[in-house]
Amino acid sequence: MKSNENFKTIIEPFRIKMVEPINMTSEEERKIILKEAHYNLFLIKAENIIVDLLTDSGTGAMSAAQWGAMMEGDESYAGCTSYYDMKAVVQDLTNMKHIYPTHQGRAAERILFGCLGSEGKIIPNNTHFDTTRANIEFTKAKAIDLVIDEGKNAGSLFPFKGNMNINKLRALFEEHKGTDNIPLCMLTITNNSGGGQPVSMGNIRDTRALCKEFQIPLFLDACRFAENSYFIKKREEEFSNKTIKEIAQEIFSYCDGFTMSAKKDAIVNMGGLLCFNDDVLSVNVKNMLILTEGFSTYGGLSGRDMAALAQGLREVVEEDYLEYRIKSTAYLGDALTKAGIPMVLPIGGHAVYIDAAAMLPHIPALEYPAQSLACELFIKGGVRGVEIGSFMFGSLDENGVEIPNTMELLRLAIPRRVYTQSHIDYVIEVLKLVNKNKDKLKGMKITKQPSLLRHFSAELSPA
Ligand SMILES: *Cc1c(COP(=O)(O)O)cnc(C)c1O
């Protein structure tokens, strides 16, 4: 037994060598800052945030070993050592034949769907992440979400709420049998848009078998493959004695390729991967990569970026790291649940999702309760989360009337290795205070908005 297993406190399995100061603002200052940002937290300067839980994407802290590896990055235009080192690490983990770097996850998606998507094509997934869906729809192909019903029920405690609905997938495959309408099937691990919920190995195997039966390639959206592997180890008995790396290797053995944003589980600030086995696809991908990202041995990344990425992939499968990562996210979620704040359960890997519709029933969906909560959290404590609800995903019907989203969530995403337990304790304290006065919170209205992806730049005011 490791010495930290006797105690309840989750100690960070790292020490801090370098620090960044946090600018401590006052509530009065933050009221002005928020007003000047038109109540949109994306428009606030990061220097005015105390604890930034906007996203876990590219916001992680690199290790000394990663910074050290960066100094040894080889910046040769073609055939740099850093590419071949990274390729070896990725192949050891995934056994894929073709390994292409990209500048981030969506670039891998754009190239993959640029090659395989077009009008009339259909691409199923448990739940497409927003950039994945957008890149598919940009080719005029159709993106379909087929997550199991438990995955859509915020209160369900099912351990693998990211699972693919195998019956629905079979029905879709049957419907298009004998056509080439479905160029590939995707599976997102963990299911980011569904609350960071994992997919079980059993479900990955079933998805694989079905894809094989219908001869449809299976691709993973593997951004959080290590967090998903950790959940498999803890929740699927067969894997309790396997290492995270062994579990990850088995997961990748079932797919024909994957896209990955390295800004998540590769713990770098920028980077992505597009990897697969198909030689014919490789010719097309390579052409597109060279056209839009860069030569095939750097694909939009510096040599030093690939060196850090390779080291990040070695570190992320360490069990002590993942134990701390998953437990510290659950620590925040459990404390808030205990305080009576409703949320998506079980707690996912990278974030907690507060159910603002349940917490603030007096604010209608089209007055954006989760945005109101996000603003209050910033005013009271300088904490930044992100609304995932009708402000982000609301749409207009054919008469121009706004249709609300199905859920009104406030996501608090945890950057990797950045904040300590005392930062999280502070967030808990702020949320408890906000919860105490929740009846006084008021709705919001949009005063100005662009036609696409409005949450990034729209302006709001209290309703
Ligand atoms: C972040 C993310 C992406 C897109 O990656 P970027 O690096 O932000 O372009 C795709 N899929 C999932 C599941 C993600 O979490």
Side-chain angles (χ1 to χ4, degrees):
M1 177 176 279
K2 291 182 186 176
S3 59
N4 61 351
E5 287 174 19
N6 294 321
F7 302 100
K8 265 209 330 254
T9 309
I10 307 158
I11 70 161
E12 290 80 10
F14 50 79
R15 323 180 270 192
I16 297 166
K17 193 193 282 286
M18 198 188 280
V19 297
E20 278 183 288
I22 293 175
N23 177 24
M24 296 296 172
T25 49
S26 69
E27 185 170 333
E28 286 317 304
E29 286 169 330
R30 290 192 294 269
K31 278 184 181 158
I32 296 165
I33 291 166
L34 187 64
K35 195 166 174 214
E36 285 176 347
H38 303 284
Y39 299 89
N40 183 336
L41 297 158
F42 281 99
L43 305 181
I44 293 178
K45 285 186 183 160
E47 66 187 27
N48 290 324
I49 309 285
I50 293 178
V51 179
D52 201 349
L53 306 181
L54 185 73
T55 174
D56 67 320
S57 178
T59 53
M62 293 211 297
S63 66
Q66 283 178 293
W67 283 108
M70 284 187 80
M71 293 302 289
E72 298 190 354
D74 175 2
E75 305 304 339
S76 305
Y77 190 97
C80 68
T81 311
S82 304
Y83 168 75
Y84 288 104
D85 287 350
M86 180 192 77
K87 185 176 180 183
V89 173
V90 176
Q91 284 185 324
D92 177 39
L93 196 60
T94 68
N95 205 26
M96 290 290 139
K97 189 168 173 192
H98 302 289
I99 310 290
Y100 292 112
T102 61
H103 82 274
Q104 63 182 96
R106 69 198 67 182
E109 292 167 349
R110 177 177 50 78
I111 292 171
L112 179 65
F113 301 124
C115 292
L116 298 179
S118 61
E119 192 157 2
K121 303 282 187 207
I122 296 163
I123 299 166
N125 198 336
N126 47 359
T127 312
H128 289 284
F129 182 66
D130 52 11
T131 60
T132 321
R133 169 174 289 278
N135 273 297
I136 290 171
E137 290 175 349
F138 188 71
T139 72
K140 300 203 161 62
K142 210 167 143 193
I144 297 189
D145 293 339
L146 295 177
V147 75
I148 55 169
D149 290 342
E150 290 88 337
K152 297 180 232 167
N153 173 358
S156 160
L157 289 174
F158 189 72
F160 291 103
K161 289 167 76 172
N163 281 359
M164 179 75 89
N165 185 323
I166 298 292
N167 291 334
K168 285 193 180 160
L169 187 64
R170 174 175 283 282
L172 182 77
F173 285 177
E174 290 282 2
E175 190 188 330
H176 296 276
K177 198 172 169 172
T179 72
D180 55 4
N181 292 352
I182 305 177
L184 75 161
C185 173
M186 298 279 301
L187 191 60
T188 304
I189 60 171
T190 56
N191 187 19
N192 186 2
S193 304
Q197 300 293 329
V199 179
S200 72
M201 191 74 87
N203 189 256
I204 296 172
R205 286 175 182 154
D206 291 346
T207 306
R208 167 79 208 157
L210 198 60
C211 285
K212 202 162 183 183
E213 185 184 330
F214 288 84
Q215 295 187 327
I216 290 170
L218 175 61
F219 273 63
L220 300 176
D221 179 340
C223 296
R224 296 180 183 79
F225 75 96
E227 292 172 8
N228 201 98
S229 299
Y230 180 85
F231 282 118
I232 287 176
K233 182 176 170 100
K234 293 292 157 174
R235 296 181 186 174
E236 239 172 324
E237 213 183 319
E238 183 189 337
F239 297 94
S240 58
N241 292 320
K242 289 255 161 70
T243 65
I244 298 297
K245 189 172 161 187
E246 286 166 344
I247 295 169
Q249 284 168 327
E250 180 169 341
I251 291 174
F252 284 110
S253 77
Y254 297 129
C255 72
D256 300 289
F258 66 89
T259 57
M260 185 192 289
S261 167
K263 301 169 72 169
K264 322 292 169 49
D265 270 354
I267 327 186
V268 288
N269 304 114
M270 196 55 68
L273 288 168
L274 173 54
C275 307
F276 50 84
N277 289 324
D278 187 327
D279 295 332
V280 178
L281 178 63
S282 182
V283 175
N284 296 330
V285 162
K286 200 185 235 175
N287 286 337
M288 282 270 269
L289 189 80
I290 292 173
L291 189 65
T292 60
E293 290 282 292
F295 186 66
S296 52
T297 60
Y298 76 85
L301 295 178
S302 305
R304 56 180 166 271
D305 293 335
M306 291 186 280
L309 198 166
Q311 179 58 23
L313 286 176
R314 287 193 194 99
E315 292 173 11
V316 78
V317 293
E318 284 170 13
E319 199 161 330
D320 286 344
Y321 159 73
L322 282 168
E323 177 111 357
Y324 140 78
R325 168 81 178 149
I326 304 297
K327 278 192 178 164
S328 58
T329 304
Y331 174 83
L332 172 60
D334 290 346
L336 299 181
T337 303
K338 221 177 270 169
I341 297 172
M343 65 186 59
V344 177
L345 295 171
I347 309 298
H350 67 288
V352 306
Y353 295 72
I354 297 173
D355 185 347
M359 183 173 167
L360 307 170
H362 61 288
I363 302 179
L366 292 179
E367 288 185 14
Y368 317 118
Q371 183 65 17
S372 170
L373 183 58
C375 288
E376 187 68 4
L377 204 56
F378 175 74
I379 289 173
K380 283 290 176 293
V383 177
R384 174 157 71 173
V386 66
E387 191 262 13
I388 299 190
S390 295
F391 177 47
M392 185 179 274
F393 289 128
S395 52
L396 302 180
D397 70 9
E398 58 274 20
N399 303 317
V401 178
E402 197 172 341
I403 319 165
N405 192 42
T406 47
M407 293 209 255
E408 304 298 332
L409 305 175
L410 175 70
R411 185 185 75 182
L412 304 174
I414 320 285
R416 292 169 181 77
R417 307 191 291 207
V418 169
Y419 294 114
T420 64
Q421 187 161 349
S422 71
H423 290 108
I424 300 299
D425 283 333
Y426 170 81
V427 173
I428 293 165
E429 219 182 314
V430 173
L431 259 159
K432 280 183 179 166
L433 176 70
V434 169
N435 190 45
K436 214 161 84 188
N437 301 318
K438 63 182 180 180
D439 298 338
K440 297 202 188 90
L441 290 191
K442 296 206 165 59
M444 318 282 302
K445 62 170 192 271
I446 296 176
T447 54
K448 199 170 151 188
Q449 60 178 310
S451 57
L452 273 175
L453 296 171
R454 70 178 179 190
H455 58 286
F456 288 126
S457 58
E459 297 179 0
L460 302 103
S461 72

